[in-house]
Amino acid sequence: GESVGLHLPTLSVQEGDNSIINCAYSNSASDYFIWYKQESGKGPQFIIDIRSNMDKRQGQRVTVLLNKTVKHLSLQIAATQPGDSAVYFCAENMGSGYSTLTFGKGTMLLVSP
Amino acid sequence: DADVTQTPRNRITKTGKRIMLECSQTKGHDRMYWYRQDPGLGLRLIYYSFDVKDINKGEISDGYSVSRQAQAKFSLSLESAIPNQTALYFCATSDSTGYEQYFGPGTRLTVT
C-alpha cells in the first residue's frame, strides 16, 4: 500500500549504533521545536521538544541539539533499536499566540538487527 | 482509550461525492487541527480551530471545509471529492500554547 516514507531521505543503521537525524528549519523567529516519530499506519507521536533559549535537551535515549545560527536541529538516538524504525519529523513554531506548527518533510530511519 | 479518535479509519469514495471525516478528543484541549499527509510531503495544515467560534484556513484549505461542533469535535468535509485528495488525513489537538500537538490515528482516504 501507499507509504508515507516514499521519496523521503533515508538513514539506515545497525542495531546498537547511534543515529543522527538532521533538520533545517525555515524561520529565524521560531522559538519552539519538536520532534515527532511516525510508525507505519499510525499518527505522529511526540518524542522531545526544545525552546529557542536552549541548545541541547536530553530525554531517554534521545537528545535534541539546536543551532540557531544556521537554523539547524538534530535528533540523536542512542543505541538504536529495531523499534526505532519509523519516519521522524521536525516541526517549528513561531511562538506567538496564534501561530501553528510547521512540519518538515521527514526522514525515514531503518534499523537492521 | 485513545485521547484523539478519528472516524472512519479507511474510506474509499468516488469522484464528486461528499465525504465527512470526524475527529473527537478527550484531552480537554481548545485547539484542534486537520492535516493532510502525502508521500514525501510531510504534514500540511488544512484548517485549524482555536476554539468553537474561531476557525482558520491553513496552507491547503481549497476544496475542504470544517465544522467545530463542540470543544471536543472537529469535522473535515470534502464537498466534492477529487482523486488528488487521496491522502492520509490526521486530526490533532493542543492546549492554548499551541506547542505540543497530539495526533489521532489517521484516516486513509481514496478517491477513485
Side-chain angles (χ1 to χ4, degrees), chain A residues 24-98:
Chain A
Y25 64 91
S26 59
N27 195 324
S28 57
S30 292
D31 82 335
Y32 174 79
F33 306 88
I34 188 168
W35 281 99
Y36 281 93
K37 173 186 180 183
Q38 186 178 20
E39 297 174 278
S40 182
K42 297 184 179 180
Q45 296 176 287
F46 170 88
I47 302 173
I48 192 168
D49 59 3
I50 189 168
R51 299 292 175 103
S52 60
N53 61 354
M54 303 172 68
D55 54 20
K56 179 179 180 179
R57 189 165 188 221
Q58 289 184 292
Q60 186 176 18
R61 282 203 305 119
V62 294
T63 300
V64 56
L65 299 178
L66 175 63
N67 184 330
K68 295 182 287 295
T69 302
V70 294
K71 294 191 290 186
H72 184 266
L73 197 64
S74 68
L75 177 70
Q76 300 178 357
I77 305 174
T80 313
Q81 302 167 0
D84 295 325
S85 294
V87 176
Y88 290 81
F89 294 96
C90 66
E92 61 185 297
N93 185 305
M94 283 179 57
S96 63
Y98 286 84

Side-chain angles (χ1 to χ4, degrees), chain B:
Chain B
D1 288 340
D3 294 319
V4 184
T5 57
Q6 293 183 234
T7 57
R9 293 294 314 279
N10 289 281
R11 180 72 182 267
I12 300 173
T13 192
K14 294 185 183 299
T15 298
K17 294 292 187 182
R18 183 178 189 275
I19 183 168
M20 179 181 288
L21 309 182
E22 299 186 344
C23 176
S24 295
Q25 54 112 347
T26 58
K27 297 191 74 66
H29 287 163
D30 289 326
R31 299 187 177 193
M32 298 187 73
Y33 310 81
W34 275 106
Y35 291 92
R36 168 179 172 155
Q37 187 174 45
D38 298 277
L41 292 181
L43 290 156
R44 293 184 291 167
L45 185 61
I46 306 172
Y47 269 95
Y48 58 104
S49 171
F50 284 170
D51 64 40
V52 174
K53 297 182 180 180
D54 183 1
I55 293 177
N56 305 278
K57 292 182 177 180
E59 178 187 354
I60 53 164
S61 60
D62 287 349
Y64 302 94
S65 62
V66 291
S67 173
R68 185 83 185 264
Q69 300 95 324
Q71 186 204 36
K73 297 184 182 296
F74 192 36
S75 300
L76 176 72
S77 294
L78 286 67
E79 297 301 326
S80 180
I82 56 177
N84 77 359
Q85 291 177 313
T86 293
L88 277 169
Y89 290 85
F90 288 100
C91 174
T93 74
S94 71
D95 63 20
S96 58
T97 67
Y99 287 152
E100 184 180 348
Q101 293 184 13
Y102 297 82
F103 285 82
T107 294
R108 184 175 295 277
L109 177 66
T110 303
V111 184
T112 61

